Amino acid sequence: MSLKTIFPKKECHIPKWYVVDAQGKTLGRLATEVSKLLRGKETSFYTPGVDQGNYVVILNANQIKVSGNKETDKLYYRHSQRPGSLKIETFKQVKERIPTRILEKAVWGMLPKGKLGRQYYRRLYIYSDDKINYMKGKNVELISDDKWIKVEV
């Protein structure tokens, strides 16, 4: 009797679409769940080196919450690579200016760095309101769960 390890192929995987409502959710807890969905870790045959990820759409990114004093203490840095161009903003300032940037940075920090991580990141769509404009003409079936709204296209 020979036991062979089943190695999943990228061609056999059909990615699913997940729509997540970020209203009232905590930033880090939501980002970890989204990164798991992007990587495909919820499948029983997860393999780290094979792209088995899903598409994730996050709605209401401007209503994300953080605990404690992070609203004023958490800092975001950006630099244009020019001398003296370091910009520092608090969580509250970034939330007012570009609310989607907060979730983008949080999820990006939880994905693997490299070619595979960039492929996962391209499947993430974040919106500050609760409308998905590009799915108007498509035949989309919404299935409600306790935790997620799952959309299979």
Side-chain angles (χ1 to χ4, degrees):
M1 172 174 24
S2 71
L3 297 174
K4 290 189 176 185
T5 303
I6 299 171
F7 192 76
K9 305 284 187 222
K10 182 183 174 186
E11 297 82 29
C12 298
H13 175 67
I14 299 169
K16 295 177 184 162
W17 284 78
Y18 291 91
V19 179
V20 180
D21 188 10
Q23 184 175 6
K25 301 261 175 54
T26 307
L27 174 65
R29 293 174 189 268
L30 178 68
T32 54
E33 293 298 321
V34 167
S35 66
K36 286 178 192 174
L37 288 173
L38 284 171
R39 292 186 73 183
K41 284 189 133 183
E42 80 283 353
T43 59
S44 61
F45 48 85
Y46 169 73
T47 307
V50 179
D51 184 8
Q52 297 172 323
N54 301 302
Y55 291 90
V56 177
V57 180
I58 301 176
L59 304 176
N60 296 320
N62 57 349
Q63 297 175 14
I64 196 85
K65 302 260 190 254
V66 287
S67 59
N69 294 330
K70 292 184 194 127
E71 190 91 18
T72 55
D73 294 350
K74 186 171 177 60
L75 300 176
Y76 289 91
Y77 299 93
R78 58 192 166 96
H79 200 288
S80 69
Q81 302 302 316
R82 302 285 296 171
S85 69
L86 179 67
K87 305 278 191 269
I88 302 172
E89 291 179 302
T90 63
F91 176 87
K92 192 173 185 179
Q93 291 169 336
V94 175
K95 190 174 177 180
E96 290 170 4
R97 196 169 64 89
I98 310 172
T100 59
R101 177 86 39 96
I102 295 167
L103 271 166
E104 287 173 1
K105 283 187 166 271
V107 173
W108 173 252
M110 295 181 186
L111 291 175
K113 307 304 180 274
K115 187 176 178 181
L116 196 57
R118 289 189 296 273
Q119 286 177 1
Y120 293 142
Y121 188 69
R122 285 187 204 112
R123 293 183 179 157
L124 177 67
Y125 300 93
I126 303 175
Y127 298 101
S128 58
D129 55 351
D130 60 349
K131 294 179 183 155
I132 308 172
N133 296 328
Y134 61 87
M135 284 192 175
K136 278 185 181 175
K138 294 183 181 177
N139 187 9
V140 176
E141 180 185 347
L142 292 173
I143 303 167
S144 293
D145 288 336
D146 294 343
K147 201 170 185 183
W148 306 106
I149 300 173
K150 190 166 126 182
V151 182
E152 293 184 5
V153 179

